[in-house]
Every structure is written in structure tokens, then in C-alpha cells.
Amino acid sequence: MKGTGRARSAATGALCVLAASLLWGTTGTAATFAPDVGPLATGAVAMGVGGLLQALIAAPQIAAHASRLRDQRGTVLLGAVSVAVYPLAFYSSMHLAGVAVGTVVSIGTAPLASSLIERVVDGRRLTRRWTLAASLGLLGTALLCVAEAAHATDRTSMAGTLLGIGLGLVAAATYALYSWAAHRLITRQIPSRAAMGAVFGLGGLLLVPVLLATGAPLLASWSNAAVGTYMALVPMLAGYVLFGWGLAHVPASTATTLSLLEPAVAAVLAVLVVGELLPAAGWMGIVLVVACLAVLTTPTRHTRGQPRINPVDHDGNPPRQAADAVPTGEHRTRQG
């Protein structure tokens, strides 16, 4: 019975992460409906306002654990700076290289960056199943990237595309860093809601000057304002709430890899809504990403001697074996 309960819990967690990834996958397409709003303003309003709202919701937990957060102020600051840099690099990457390529590079390479950080800093071992799934996902995202870059001349210069890919790598690295920072705070007995609220709230504050300097077009029309409101409330706030619930039931590396659904969703929406072209190699990449998700979500019998997941409750209490159940990411780092 306990095994069945754990399987159901893991399935629920996976569904929450996948639902969050679906929401995150809409951000690039949503941004195209406000063409007068620059990528810096888009990133600042999405992550800035969304982060401040997360901090507001988590204010009681942050206040209750203020002393512990002060003791870990270096980690909090690292996470906050990464939160502030991530959306600026992410949306600039999509602006220069296109929705599909920007999302694929930024999110598709984040699991690799997260796993490297966990391996080097925390000595975390990765399972064969995760390695297989991550390999399929990374191969799929690489195919998507190559397929879109081949059509760069139809949309922008190759130099712009390469710069966009470079910024996507910066976004992936900062996504992994702020996720690792939240991971570290939770393993040091700070509840996940307080940890995420503090990191995202301070990151949101750092983005306020950027929003003030670049955000005037957001107020130029109702459509621009609607896009900004959607970005802050739906993909960022609601998406991170779902992601936080998912992290209560699945390991961090699994949740990060499940978020590879986001670039696949972004690529499909870019084709169906924005009108971008996706060659056969791109569609093959999407198939590989779906295969990656299938490998991760297919139930398997628990192996004797393998560490079990101790869920984090929805009030944000830390797990007993935090290394198995704390966030490494993003997106969609991305809990409210």
C-alpha cells in the first residue's frame, strides 16, 4: 500500500511539473502579441512582478525564518541575482534567435547545467534512468535548435542567432544557479516557501529598476498591458505554484528534466500561432522530448536499497532527505 501511495504521489508531482511547463511554454508566444515591448521590459515585468507576488504570498513564512535566511544571505543573494539575470537573458535570446531556439537553448540545456552543479558541489549521483531521459531530451532540444537556426536567414542574421544562443546559455546557467540556491536553503532547514519567496522576492526587487527604465511601452496600450499582466500572473506566479507542488513529490533532477516539455510546447506554438517554420528535424526533436518525458513518467517498481522520496508538504516544510526532493530549477526554479 505504501508503494502504491508513493507511486500516486510521484504521478501527481509529475503532472504538476508538466502543467507548469505547459504554462511556461506560452511565454514566448505571448510576448509576440506585444511587439512594441522590448525583451528587457518583458523579462522584468514577468519575473519581477511575479517574484514580488511570490514574496508577498510567502511573507509569513519569510518573517518566521528571517534569522535563518540572514545566516544564509550569501546563498540568497546568489539566487536573487540569478533570478534577475535569467529573464533578461531568456527573453533577449528569444528576441534575437526566435521563440523556438531561445526557449530550446535556455530550457533544454538547463538540466545539464543543474546536474553539473549538483554533481560538483553536492556530489549527487544521477540514476541511469535520468541519464537516459536527459540524453533523449537534450538530443531532441539540439535537433530543435539546429532546425530553427538553419532558417535564421529568413528571420534575422546568423550573428544575431548566435548571440541569441549565447544568451540562452546564460539563461540556462542562471536558471540552474537560482534553483541550486533554493535547493541549498531548503537542505539547511529553511521551508521551501520561505526560501523560494525570499530568493524570488529579492530578485524581483533587483528587476524593478530595469522595469522602470524600459517598461513604458507596457502602458502604451491595453494589449501590451494585458500581455504583461498575463506573463506575471499565469506563467510566472501560477506556473511556479504548480512547480512547487510538483517538487513536493518528485526528485529535483526529475522535475528539471520534465520541464523539457516547455521548449517543445514553445516550438509547437511558434509554428501554430506565430507562423514560424519547423523542419522535419525539429519535429523529430519534439518526438525525442516526448520520449524523454515518457521514460521519466512511466511507473517502475521501487528498487530495494534505493533512497525514497520524503515529500515536502504544501506549507513548505523541508523534506527529511532534502537531496531527493528539493528544486533544481525553473522554470520554471520556477513555487509560489
Side-chain angles (χ1 to χ4, degrees), residues 69-122:
L69 288 167
R70 282 194 296 269
D71 291 340
Q72 302 296 324
R73 54 185 174 273
T75 302
V76 173
L77 182 59
L78 173 63
V81 171
S82 299
V83 165
V85 173
Y86 167 76
L88 305 182
F90 177 52
Y91 288 101
S92 295
S93 175
M94 289 194 296
H95 177 74
L96 291 169
V99 172
V101 171
T103 307
V104 164
V105 175
S106 300
I107 307 305
T109 59
L112 179 58
S114 295
S115 65
L116 289 175
I117 293 172
E118 288 184 352
R119 181 62 178 165
V120 172
V121 180
D122 302 324

Side-chain angles (χ1 to χ4, degrees), residues 24 63 70 79 103 108 157 193 205 207 236 277 287 308 327-328 336:
W24 297 332
R70 282 194 296 269
T103 307
S157 67
R193 187 169 296 176
L205 283 176
L207 284 167
M236 294 303 136
L277 297 176
V287 170
R308 297 179 183 274
T328 61

Side-chain angles (χ1 to χ4, degrees), residues 122-203:
D122 302 324
R124 181 184 177 89
R125 292 185 177 182
L126 302 174
T127 65
R128 292 181 180 178
R129 183 179 185 181
W130 182 91
T131 302
L132 172 61
S135 298
L136 289 171
L138 288 172
L139 179 59
T141 55
L143 282 174
L144 271 170
C145 183
V146 170
E148 283 291 311
H151 289 263
T153 54
D154 295 337
R155 181 178 56 250
T156 185
S157 67
M158 181 58 70
T161 299
L162 292 176
L163 179 57
I165 291 173
L167 288 171
L169 294 175
V170 172
T174 50
Y175 174 29
L177 277 173
Y178 74 67
S179 302
W180 175 84
H183 171 158
R184 193 171 184 85
L185 293 173
I186 295 172
T187 58
R188 296 190 175 186
Q189 302 305 307
I190 297 175
S192 59
R193 187 169 296 176
M196 296 292 282
V199 168
F200 276 76
L202 184 54

Side-chain angles (χ1 to χ4, degrees):
M1 296 295 293
K2 290 183 178 179
T4 302
R6 289 190 180 93
R8 290 177 179 174
S9 177
T12 299
L15 287 174
C16 287
V17 174
L18 291 174
S21 300
L22 284 171
L23 294 180
W24 297 332
T26 67
T27 58
T29 298
T32 64
F33 287 95
D36 297 332
V37 180
L40 298 183
T42 301
V45 72
M47 210 73 157
V49 176
L52 291 174
L53 288 174
Q54 283 195 62
L56 180 63
I57 292 173
Q61 290 81 9
I62 293 174
H65 297 274
S67 61
R68 290 184 179 180
L69 288 167
R70 282 194 296 269
D71 291 340
Q72 302 296 324
R73 54 185 174 273
T75 302
V76 173
L77 182 59
L78 173 63
V81 171
S82 299
V83 165
V85 173
Y86 167 76
L88 305 182
F90 177 52
Y91 288 101
S92 295
S93 175
M94 289 194 296
H95 177 74
L96 291 169
V99 172
V101 171
T103 307
V104 164
V105 175
S106 300
I107 307 305
T109 59
L112 179 58
S114 295
S115 65
L116 289 175
I117 293 172
E118 288 184 352
R119 181 62 178 165
V120 172
V121 180
D122 302 324
R124 181 184 177 89
R125 292 185 177 182
L126 302 174
T127 65
R128 292 181 180 178
R129 183 179 185 181
W130 182 91
T131 302
L132 172 61
S135 298
L136 289 171
L138 288 172
L139 179 59
T141 55
L143 282 174
L144 271 170
C145 183
V146 170
E148 283 291 311
H151 289 263
T153 54
D154 295 337
R155 181 178 56 250
T156 185
S157 67
M158 181 58 70
T161 299
L162 292 176
L163 179 57
I165 291 173
L167 288 171
L169 294 175
V170 172
T174 50
Y175 174 29
L177 277 173
Y178 74 67
S179 302
W180 175 84
H183 171 158
R184 193 171 184 85
L185 293 173
I186 295 172
T187 58
R188 296 190 175 186
Q189 302 305 307
I190 297 175
S192 59
R193 187 169 296 176
M196 296 292 282
V199 168
F200 276 76
L202 184 54
L205 283 176
L206 294 176
L207 284 167
V208 168
V210 179
L211 182 59
L212 292 176
T214 64
L218 288 165
L219 303 177
S221 68
W222 285 106
S223 60
N224 290 353
V227 169
T229 302
Y230 171 82
M231 300 281 268
L233 296 182
V234 181
M236 294 303 136
L237 182 60
Y240 276 108
V241 168
L242 286 167
F243 192 65
W245 289 349
L247 287 171
H249 302 288
V250 297
S253 55
T254 298
T256 306
T257 310
L258 284 170
S259 68
L260 288 174
L261 178 63
E262 178 182 350
V265 171
V268 171
L269 289 177
V271 171
L272 298 180
V273 180
V274 182
E276 293 187 5
L277 297 176
L278 190 63
W283 291 109
M284 180 59 68
I286 292 176
V287 170
L288 289 174
V289 170
V290 172
C292 155
L293 303 179
V295 170
L296 283 179
T297 56
T298 300
T300 59
R301 295 184 63 181
H302 185 77
T303 303
R304 182 177 297 179
Q306 186 178 7
R308 297 179 183 274
I309 301 168
N310 290 303
V312 181
D313 64 34
H314 290 179
D315 291 328
N317 296 319
R320 293 178 182 175
Q321 294 185 14
D324 285 331
V326 292
T328 61
E330 215 149 165
H331 199 97
R332 146 124 252 242
T333 217
R334 301 132 192 181
Q335 167 180 9

